[in-house]
């Protein structure tokens, strides 16, 4: 994005990014129409490409926008004071699902962006995704009591496994053209916690 876009009123910037998220959530990157994005954003296609050099740059900025929405709405005082790994995951999952209810296109966009294999922007998004997982872990889990884990268990590896399992579940839903229900997704996450906690925690902390 260029300075002209950054100088727009906040409401207009969000309108454009939300319009792009809407289209990118419905179609694969190559099939997503910039004409549709411009129409939903109530601007001309020429203005869209005045603000963004190309479609790939727009997609990357929407990806960053989506990540910031989730992070901004999830972080609160309680989140940063929880010291139990699984209590934190349970609380953060509930917060995240509330965000996904508020932004109807965010969930599908997030899933599609995670599975952009063989797309023009695949390498960039894959790098951002890996970086975001690491960053989120260090932000959210910095106060966790790691002594509860069994000897030889790496909490970061547990976190990554849970992320991958959820992503796999959501991808299966998308591939089967099934609607993704945030409440159902939260329940699935809680089931995972019940399985993972006794497998990774010392008995005295169960």
């Amino acid at each position: 994005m260029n300075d002209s876009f950054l100088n727009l009123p906040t409401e207009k910037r969000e309108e454009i990014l939300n319009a792009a998220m809407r289209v990118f959530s419905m179609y694969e990157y190559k099939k997503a129409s910039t004409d549709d994005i411009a129409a939903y954003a109530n601007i001309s296609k020429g203005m869209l490409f005045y603000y963004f050099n190309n479609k790939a740059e727009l997609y990357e900025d929407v990806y960053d926008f989506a990540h910031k929405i989730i992070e901004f709405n999830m972080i609160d005082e309680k989140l940063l004071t929880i010291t139990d790994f699984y209590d934190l995951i349970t609380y953060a999952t509930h917060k995240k699902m509330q965000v996904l209810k508020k932004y109807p296109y965010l969930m599908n966009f997030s899933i599609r962006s995670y599975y952009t294999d063989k797309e023009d922007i695949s390498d960039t998004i894959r790098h951002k995704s890996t970086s975001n997982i690491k960053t989120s872990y260090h932000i959210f889990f910095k106060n966790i009591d790691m002594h509860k884990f069994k000897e030889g268990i790496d909490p970061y590896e547990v976190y990554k496994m849970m992320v991958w399992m959820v992503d796999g579940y959501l991808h299966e839903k998308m591939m089967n053209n099934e609607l993704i229900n945030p409440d159902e997704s939260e329940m699935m996450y809680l089931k995972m916690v019940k399985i993972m906690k006794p497998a990774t925690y010392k008995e005295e902390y169960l």
Side-chain angles (χ1 to χ4, degrees):
M1 65 181 75
N2 62 29
D3 290 340
S4 297
F5 179 79
L6 296 175
N7 289 331
L8 289 173
T10 301
E11 295 79 8
K12 189 59 186 180
R13 292 201 308 270
E14 292 189 354
E15 182 182 9
I16 295 171
L17 291 172
N18 277 312
M21 186 188 298
R22 177 179 181 176
V23 175
F24 285 133
S25 75
M26 295 187 292
Y27 304 100
E28 296 174 0
Y29 172 79
K30 290 180 180 178
K31 296 181 179 179
S33 167
T34 51
D35 289 315
D36 289 344
I37 294 173
Y40 286 131
N42 295 306
I43 60 175
S44 68
K45 186 174 178 178
M47 284 303 299
L48 181 66
F49 284 111
Y50 173 68
Y51 295 137
F52 302 90
N53 291 319
N54 50 54
K55 186 178 178 181
E57 181 183 281
L58 173 59
Y59 191 95
E60 290 177 39
D61 286 334
V62 173
Y63 180 90
D64 291 339
F65 175 64
H67 182 73
K68 288 176 182 177
I69 288 175
I70 295 174
E71 188 173 286
F72 177 79
N73 284 275
M74 282 180 62
I75 297 178
D76 59 17
E77 290 184 6
K78 180 177 180 180
L79 184 75
L80 299 177
T81 59
I82 298 174
T83 59
D84 182 86
F85 182 89
Y86 291 104
D87 286 349
L88 178 59
I89 283 181
T90 299
Y91 182 73
T93 298
H94 178 71
K95 293 273 290 184
K96 184 174 182 178
M97 293 308 155
Q98 297 308 306
V99 176
L100 295 177
K101 288 179 182 179
K102 183 178 178 181
Y103 295 87
Y105 306 111
L106 183 55
M107 178 174 278
N108 279 344
F109 173 77
S110 297
I111 297 169
R112 284 192 181 278
S113 67
Y114 193 83
Y115 293 96
T116 53
D117 191 32
K118 298 180 181 178
E119 297 271 19
D120 294 342
I121 34 73
S122 297
D123 290 342
T124 300
I125 298 304
R126 189 179 298 110
H127 175 75
K128 284 179 177 286
S129 178
T130 301
S131 177
N132 286 340
I133 289 175
K134 291 180 180 179
T135 301
S136 296
Y137 179 79
H138 290 302
I139 291 175
F140 299 148
F141 292 82
K142 62 183 179 181
N143 296 320
I144 293 301
D145 181 0
M146 302 302 183
H147 293 95
K148 294 182 178 181
F149 284 91
K150 294 178 180 178
E151 197 71 30
I153 298 293
D154 183 347
Y156 179 57
E157 293 300 321
V158 176
Y159 171 69
K160 286 197 298 183
M161 282 193 293
M162 296 190 75
V163 170
W164 293 335
M165 283 188 282
V166 171
D167 287 333
Y169 164 80
L170 296 176
H171 185 241
E172 181 181 27
K173 287 280 189 180
M174 187 178 71
M175 293 299 291
N176 292 331
N177 292 317
E178 297 178 30
L179 292 176
I180 299 172
N181 184 307
D183 291 327
E184 181 183 321
S185 299
E186 183 174 354
M187 290 301 297
M188 188 276 301
Y189 222 128
L190 294 177
K191 288 180 181 178
M192 281 179 24
V193 168
K194 288 184 178 180
I195 295 171
M196 296 295 289
K197 187 173 182 177
T200 59
Y201 262 18
K202 296 173 184 174
E203 189 172 345
E204 60 264 34
Y205 296 113
L206 299 178

